[in-house]
Structure formats: C-alpha cells, structure tokens
mmCIF file of all heavy atoms in Angstrom:
data_model
loop_
_atom_site.group_PDB
_atom_site.id
_atom_site.type_symbol
_atom_site.label_atom_id
_atom_site.label_comp_id
_atom_site.label_asym_id
_atom_site.label_seq_id
_atom_site.Cartn_x
_atom_site.Cartn_y
_atom_site.Cartn_z
ATOM 1 N N ILE D 1 -11.995 5.840 -1.153
ATOM 2 C CA ILE D 1 -12.155 5.820 -2.650
ATOM 3 C C ILE D 1 -12.786 4.554 -3.034
ATOM 4 O O ILE D 1 -12.337 3.452 -2.611
ATOM 5 C CB ILE D 1 -10.792 5.940 -3.463
ATOM 6 C CG1 ILE D 1 -10.234 7.345 -3.042
ATOM 7 C CG2 ILE D 1 -11.165 5.915 -5.040
ATOM 8 C CD1 ILE D 1 -8.820 7.583 -3.796
ATOM 9 N N ASN D 2 -14.017 4.539 -3.663
ATOM 10 C CA ASN D 2 -14.695 3.356 -4.054
ATOM 11 C C ASN D 2 -15.026 2.485 -2.971
ATOM 12 O O ASN D 2 -15.016 1.155 -2.838
ATOM 13 C CB ASN D 2 -13.835 2.507 -5.059
ATOM 14 C CG ASN D 2 -13.669 3.240 -6.370
ATOM 15 O OD1 ASN D 2 -14.585 4.107 -6.795
ATOM 16 N ND2 ASN D 2 -12.641 3.037 -7.110
ATOM 17 N N GLY D 3 -15.307 3.129 -1.824
ATOM 18 C CA GLY D 3 -15.962 2.278 -0.554
ATOM 19 C C GLY D 3 -14.886 1.751 0.344
ATOM 20 O O GLY D 3 -15.129 1.141 1.347
ATOM 21 N N SER D 4 -13.564 1.983 -0.055
ATOM 22 C CA SER D 4 -12.549 1.423 0.777
ATOM 23 C C SER D 4 -11.629 2.621 1.330
ATOM 24 O O SER D 4 -11.083 3.404 0.500
ATOM 25 C CB SER D 4 -11.593 0.443 -0.027
ATOM 26 O OG SER D 4 -10.592 -0.137 0.775
ATOM 27 N N HIS D 5 -11.355 2.676 2.658
ATOM 28 C CA HIS D 5 -10.599 3.697 3.207
ATOM 29 C C HIS D 5 -9.071 3.282 3.136
ATOM 30 O O HIS D 5 -8.492 2.947 4.121
ATOM 31 C CB HIS D 5 -11.005 3.888 4.620
ATOM 32 C CG HIS D 5 -10.480 5.096 5.302
ATOM 33 N ND1 HIS D 5 -11.049 6.403 4.965
ATOM 34 C CD2 HIS D 5 -9.485 5.450 6.041
ATOM 35 C CE1 HIS D 5 -10.505 7.369 5.636
ATOM 36 N NE2 HIS D 5 -9.499 6.739 6.316
ATOM 37 N N SER D 6 -8.525 3.130 1.893
ATOM 38 C CA SER D 6 -7.241 2.616 1.666
ATOM 39 C C SER D 6 -6.263 3.506 1.184
ATOM 40 O O SER D 6 -5.127 3.038 0.700
ATOM 41 C CB SER D 6 -7.363 1.315 0.827
ATOM 42 O OG SER D 6 -8.377 0.476 1.158
ATOM 43 N N TRP D 7 -6.536 4.785 0.930
ATOM 44 C CA TRP D 7 -5.670 5.707 0.173
ATOM 45 C C TRP D 7 -5.190 6.903 1.055
ATOM 46 O O TRP D 7 -5.885 7.250 2.066
ATOM 47 C CB TRP D 7 -6.532 6.196 -1.004
ATOM 48 C CG TRP D 7 -7.132 5.212 -1.896
ATOM 49 C CD1 TRP D 7 -8.230 4.442 -1.709
ATOM 50 C CD2 TRP D 7 -6.433 4.550 -3.032
ATOM 51 N NE1 TRP D 7 -8.331 3.402 -2.665
ATOM 52 C CE2 TRP D 7 -7.260 3.598 -3.505
ATOM 53 C CE3 TRP D 7 -5.292 4.928 -3.771
ATOM 54 C CZ2 TRP D 7 -6.959 2.858 -4.664
ATOM 55 C CZ3 TRP D 7 -5.031 4.232 -4.988
ATOM 56 C CH2 TRP D 7 -5.876 3.195 -5.280
ATOM 57 N N ILE D 8 -4.118 7.350 0.512
ATOM 58 C CA ILE D 8 -3.602 8.803 1.108
ATOM 59 C C ILE D 8 -3.384 9.606 -0.115
ATOM 60 O O ILE D 8 -2.721 9.283 -1.019
ATOM 61 C CB ILE D 8 -2.283 8.456 1.728
ATOM 62 C CG1 ILE D 8 -2.377 7.550 2.968
ATOM 63 C CG2 ILE D 8 -1.698 9.892 2.151
ATOM 64 C CD1 ILE D 8 -1.039 7.364 3.650
ATOM 65 N N VAL D 9 -4.276 10.653 -0.232
ATOM 66 C CA VAL D 9 -4.313 11.538 -1.305
ATOM 67 C C VAL D 9 -3.059 12.489 -1.189
ATOM 68 O O VAL D 9 -3.024 13.203 -0.230
ATOM 69 C CB VAL D 9 -5.684 12.186 -1.387
ATOM 70 C CG1 VAL D 9 -5.674 13.312 -2.560
ATOM 71 C CG2 VAL D 9 -6.785 11.430 -1.594
ATOM 72 N N LEU D 10 -2.278 12.652 -2.196
ATOM 73 C CA LEU D 10 -1.183 13.500 -2.226
ATOM 74 C C LEU D 10 -1.427 14.751 -2.991
ATOM 75 O O LEU D 10 -0.575 15.755 -2.785
ATOM 76 C CB LEU D 10 -0.056 12.880 -3.016
ATOM 77 C CG LEU D 10 0.458 11.489 -2.544
ATOM 78 C CD1 LEU D 10 1.564 10.804 -3.338
ATOM 79 C CD2 LEU D 10 0.812 11.627 -1.027
ATOM 80 N N GLY D 11 -2.493 14.919 -3.731
ATOM 81 C CA GLY D 11 -2.865 16.222 -4.418
ATOM 82 C C GLY D 11 -2.402 16.040 -5.809
ATOM 83 O O GLY D 11 -1.591 15.149 -6.195
ATOM 84 N N GLY D 12 -2.950 16.906 -6.675
ATOM 85 C CA GLY D 12 -2.583 16.980 -8.053
ATOM 86 C C GLY D 12 -3.149 15.753 -8.771
ATOM 87 O O GLY D 12 -2.556 15.267 -9.806
ATOM 88 N N GLY D 13 -4.117 15.152 -8.207
ATOM 89 C CA GLY D 13 -4.791 13.885 -8.832
ATOM 90 C C GLY D 13 -3.992 12.575 -8.476
ATOM 91 O O GLY D 13 -4.241 11.518 -9.108
ATOM 92 N N PHE D 14 -3.066 12.619 -7.623
ATOM 93 C CA PHE D 14 -2.250 11.533 -7.236
ATOM 94 C C PHE D 14 -2.564 11.002 -5.850
ATOM 95 O O PHE D 14 -2.906 11.727 -4.912
ATOM 96 C CB PHE D 14 -0.824 11.811 -7.302
ATOM 97 C CG PHE D 14 -0.211 11.993 -8.764
ATOM 98 C CD1 PHE D 14 -0.153 13.251 -9.296
ATOM 99 C CD2 PHE D 14 0.157 10.826 -9.411
ATOM 100 C CE1 PHE D 14 0.281 13.407 -10.490
ATOM 101 C CE2 PHE D 14 0.677 11.031 -10.697
ATOM 102 C CZ PHE D 14 0.797 12.319 -11.248
ATOM 103 N N ALA D 15 -2.567 9.659 -5.695
ATOM 104 C CA ALA D 15 -2.902 9.107 -4.371
ATOM 105 C C ALA D 15 -2.169 7.707 -4.310
ATOM 106 O O ALA D 15 -1.858 7.053 -5.282
ATOM 107 C CB ALA D 15 -4.376 8.852 -4.311
ATOM 108 N N VAL D 16 -1.750 7.335 -3.116
ATOM 109 C CA VAL D 16 -1.058 6.151 -2.981
ATOM 110 C C VAL D 16 -1.887 5.154 -2.057
ATOM 111 O O VAL D 16 -2.611 5.560 -1.221
ATOM 112 C CB VAL D 16 0.260 6.321 -2.327
ATOM 113 C CG1 VAL D 16 1.252 7.185 -3.201
ATOM 114 C CG2 VAL D 16 0.200 7.026 -0.893
ATOM 115 N N GLN D 17 -1.653 3.917 -2.261
ATOM 116 C CA GLN D 17 -2.422 2.894 -1.550
ATOM 117 C C GLN D 17 -1.268 1.946 -0.710
ATOM 118 O O GLN D 17 -0.705 1.142 -1.391
ATOM 119 C CB GLN D 17 -3.219 1.941 -2.460
ATOM 120 C CG GLN D 17 -4.036 1.064 -1.755
ATOM 121 C CD GLN D 17 -4.955 0.177 -2.744
ATOM 122 O OE1 GLN D 17 -4.737 0.338 -3.962
ATOM 123 N NE2 GLN D 17 -5.966 -0.479 -2.215
ATOM 124 N N PRO D 18 -1.068 2.377 0.454
ATOM 125 C CA PRO D 18 -0.011 1.681 1.233
ATOM 126 C C PRO D 18 -0.126 0.233 1.334
ATOM 127 O O PRO D 18 0.918 -0.553 1.408
ATOM 128 C CB PRO D 18 -0.061 2.244 2.605
ATOM 129 C CG PRO D 18 -0.673 3.635 2.409
ATOM 130 C CD PRO D 18 -1.723 3.371 1.362
ATOM 131 N N SER D 19 -1.282 -0.349 1.116
ATOM 132 C CA SER D 19 -1.414 -1.858 1.205
ATOM 133 C C SER D 19 -0.633 -2.560 0.124
ATOM 134 O O SER D 19 -0.289 -3.711 0.241
ATOM 135 C CB SER D 19 -2.980 -2.259 1.201
ATOM 136 O OG SER D 19 -3.573 -1.701 0.008
ATOM 137 N N GLU D 20 -0.492 -1.900 -1.042
ATOM 138 C CA GLU D 20 0.272 -2.547 -2.030
ATOM 139 C C GLU D 20 1.705 -2.685 -1.671
ATOM 140 O O GLU D 20 2.329 -3.683 -2.009
ATOM 141 C CB GLU D 20 0.104 -1.674 -3.422
ATOM 142 C CG GLU D 20 -1.340 -1.545 -4.018
ATOM 143 C CD GLU D 20 -1.556 -2.934 -4.590
ATOM 144 O OE1 GLU D 20 -0.796 -3.746 -4.940
ATOM 145 O OE2 GLU D 20 -2.874 -3.211 -4.742
ATOM 146 N N PHE D 21 2.290 -1.608 -1.140
ATOM 147 C CA PHE D 21 3.726 -1.806 -0.599
ATOM 148 C C PHE D 21 3.769 -2.787 0.480
ATOM 149 O O PHE D 21 4.806 -3.303 0.755
ATOM 150 C CB PHE D 21 4.178 -0.365 -0.138
ATOM 151 C CG PHE D 21 4.345 0.646 -1.283
ATOM 152 C CD1 PHE D 21 3.778 1.942 -1.231
ATOM 153 C CD2 PHE D 21 4.924 0.212 -2.466
ATOM 154 C CE1 PHE D 21 3.922 2.800 -2.284
ATOM 155 C CE2 PHE D 21 5.182 1.141 -3.541
ATOM 156 C CZ PHE D 21 4.626 2.563 -3.429
ATOM 157 N N ALA D 22 2.762 -2.934 1.287
ATOM 158 C CA ALA D 22 2.716 -3.920 2.392
ATOM 159 C C ALA D 22 3.038 -5.288 1.889
ATOM 160 O O ALA D 22 3.577 -6.166 2.584
ATOM 161 C CB ALA D 22 1.449 -3.854 3.129
ATOM 162 N N LYS D 23 2.645 -5.633 0.699
ATOM 163 C CA LYS D 23 2.922 -6.981 -0.108
ATOM 164 C C LYS D 23 4.287 -7.143 -0.157
ATOM 165 O O LYS D 23 4.813 -8.238 0.228
ATOM 166 C CB LYS D 23 2.076 -6.920 -1.426
ATOM 167 C CG LYS D 23 0.677 -6.761 -1.399
ATOM 168 C CD LYS D 23 0.199 -6.785 -2.882
ATOM 169 C CE LYS D 23 -1.377 -6.451 -2.890
ATOM 170 N NZ LYS D 23 -1.874 -6.324 -4.191
ATOM 171 N N VAL D 24 5.043 -6.084 -0.691
ATOM 172 C CA VAL D 24 6.431 -6.277 -0.720
ATOM 173 C C VAL D 24 7.109 -6.419 0.572
ATOM 174 O O VAL D 24 8.045 -7.222 0.710
ATOM 175 C CB VAL D 24 7.085 -5.022 -1.460
ATOM 176 C CG1 VAL D 24 8.536 -5.152 -1.584
ATOM 177 C CG2 VAL D 24 6.384 -4.781 -2.865
ATOM 178 N N GLY D 25 6.747 -5.593 1.587
ATOM 179 C CA GLY D 25 7.423 -5.621 2.876
ATOM 180 C C GLY D 25 7.148 -6.904 3.588
ATOM 181 O O GLY D 25 8.073 -7.570 4.178
ATOM 182 N N LEU D 26 5.986 -7.550 3.363
ATOM 183 C CA LEU D 26 5.644 -8.855 4.042
ATOM 184 C C LEU D 26 6.451 -10.053 3.322
ATOM 185 O O LEU D 26 6.904 -10.841 4.031
ATOM 186 C CB LEU D 26 4.139 -9.192 3.909
ATOM 187 C CG LEU D 26 3.641 -10.359 4.692
ATOM 188 C CD1 LEU D 26 3.970 -10.365 6.131
ATOM 189 C CD2 LEU D 26 2.211 -10.685 4.379
ATOM 190 N N VAL D 27 6.618 -9.944 2.075
ATOM 191 C CA VAL D 27 7.283 -10.902 1.348
ATOM 192 C C VAL D 27 8.805 -10.932 1.903
ATOM 193 O O VAL D 27 9.395 -11.967 2.136
ATOM 194 C CB VAL D 27 7.391 -10.654 -0.231
ATOM 195 C CG1 VAL D 27 8.441 -11.445 -0.842
ATOM 196 C CG2 VAL D 27 6.026 -10.923 -0.878
ATOM 197 N N LEU D 28 9.446 -9.784 2.007
ATOM 198 C CA LEU D 28 10.767 -9.653 2.493
ATOM 199 C C LEU D 28 11.040 -10.189 3.993
ATOM 200 O O LEU D 28 11.919 -10.926 4.349
ATOM 201 C CB LEU D 28 11.447 -8.283 2.322
ATOM 202 C CG LEU D 28 11.507 -7.744 0.868
ATOM 203 C CD1 LEU D 28 12.020 -6.346 0.839
ATOM 204 C CD2 LEU D 28 12.549 -8.614 0.012
ATOM 205 N N LEU D 29 10.042 -9.828 4.751
ATOM 206 C CA LEU D 29 10.058 -10.206 6.274
ATOM 207 C C LEU D 29 9.839 -11.706 6.355
ATOM 208 O O LEU D 29 10.593 -12.311 7.151
ATOM 209 C CB LEU D 29 8.980 -9.419 7.023
ATOM 210 C CG LEU D 29 9.077 -9.751 8.543
ATOM 211 C CD1 LEU D 29 10.340 -9.171 9.071
ATOM 212 C CD2 LEU D 29 7.877 -9.213 9.282
ATOM 213 N N LEU D 30 8.870 -12.248 5.639
ATOM 214 C CA LEU D 30 8.694 -13.663 5.748
ATOM 215 C C LEU D 30 9.844 -14.548 5.288
ATOM 216 O O LEU D 30 10.322 -15.524 5.868
ATOM 217 C CB LEU D 30 7.426 -14.104 5.006
ATOM 218 C CG LEU D 30 6.093 -13.535 5.440
ATOM 219 C CD1 LEU D 30 4.964 -14.059 4.511
ATOM 220 C CD2 LEU D 30 5.743 -14.015 6.917
ATOM 221 N N ALA D 31 10.473 -14.089 4.208
ATOM 222 C CA ALA D 31 11.646 -14.753 3.654
ATOM 223 C C ALA D 31 12.802 -14.641 4.518
ATOM 224 O O ALA D 31 13.574 -15.656 4.848
ATOM 225 C CB ALA D 31 12.037 -14.138 2.242
ATOM 226 N N MET D 32 12.961 -13.487 5.314
ATOM 227 C CA MET D 32 13.983 -13.380 6.299
ATOM 228 C C MET D 32 13.839 -14.339 7.486
ATOM 229 O O MET D 32 14.699 -15.025 7.890
ATOM 230 C CB MET D 32 14.130 -12.001 6.770
ATOM 231 C CG MET D 32 15.215 -11.674 7.852
ATOM 232 S SD MET D 32 14.765 -10.510 9.055
ATOM 233 C CE MET D 32 13.498 -11.361 10.100
ATOM 234 N N LEU D 33 12.573 -14.397 7.979
ATOM 235 C CA LEU D 33 12.294 -15.210 9.039
ATOM 236 C C LEU D 33 12.341 -16.561 8.782
ATOM 237 O O LEU D 33 12.765 -17.534 9.637
ATOM 238 C CB LEU D 33 10.796 -15.036 9.496
ATOM 239 C CG LEU D 33 10.555 -13.613 10.299
ATOM 240 C CD1 LEU D 33 9.171 -13.318 10.445
ATOM 241 C CD2 LEU D 33 11.329 -13.540 11.514
#
C-alpha cells in the first residue's frame, strides 16, 4: 500500500501494519534487557 509492503489485509476494508506493534514490542524488550 502506497509503495510499502508493510500491510496485512484482513478484508472488509481493514488492514494491519505489524511494524507499529513492533515499536511496542521493542520498547518492552529493551527495557527488560
């Protein structure tokens, strides 16, 4: 979408961008380490 292969289309006009959730995951892991 828009030149970036960053999405997973769920149907019904909805799509998710996992890289956004990766921000949360990285924050928690770095804090733990």
Side-chain angles (χ1 to χ4, degrees):
I1 299 177
N2 293 332
S4 182
H5 197 78
S6 308
W7 303 83
I8 298 176
V9 177
L10 302 178
F14 289 93
V16 295
Q17 190 175 9
S19 58
E20 291 292 339
F21 294 130
K23 299 173 185 177
V24 179
L26 185 61
V27 165
L28 294 175
L29 183 71
L30 293 177
M32 183 213 72
L33 290 171

